[in-house]
Amino acid sequence: MEKARSRKGAGFFIEIFSRDRALIEQVKYDNLLKTIFFDAMPALLRLLHCAPVLEYLNVEFPPRHKMVADVVALLADGKILHLEFQVTNDPDMLWRCYHYYGSISQRWPKAEIIQVVI
């Protein structure tokens, strides 16, 4: 029984190592592509008829906070209904709905989404 446990444990570590190794390879590839595009950026911007880069901005965004929608329902016609109830005027409601829409469409990519704020 001990041998079975150790084999299972070893398999677990091999699986984790393989995933980590794949992630490291992906990061190397991403960094290589970024380097190529940063070097080629002036030509790319001219091709796209854009102004030169003034400054590269921080692209590391903070993690999103946990979002809990008021109502998300699958309708008989396959559409998804998202309802949000608001007692007061929330100036950020448009952005909240935008994030809800993205999260819902990521989870159910083929469904048409109907959003209503009440």
Side-chain angles (χ1 to χ4, degrees), residues 51-97:
V53 172
L54 180 63
E55 173 185 3
Y56 287 101
L57 306 174
N58 181 9
V59 292
E60 186 173 331
F61 298 105
R64 284 200 274 171
H65 62 283
K66 182 178 177 181
M67 299 183 334
V68 179
D70 291 335
V71 176
V72 178
L74 176 61
L75 305 179
D77 59 3
K79 295 177 183 174
I80 299 221
L81 174 65
H82 168 218
L83 297 177
E84 280 298 311
F85 303 108
Q86 283 298 119
V87 177
T88 61
N89 185 17
D90 180 358
D92 291 330
M93 194 60 186
L94 176 67
W95 291 108
R96 284 180 50 206
C97 284

Side-chain angles (χ1 to χ4, degrees), residues 1-12:
M1 188 160 184
E2 269 311 303
K3 279 188 173 182
R5 278 189 195 158
S6 65
R7 282 188 197 145
K8 184 178 179 185
F12 172 76

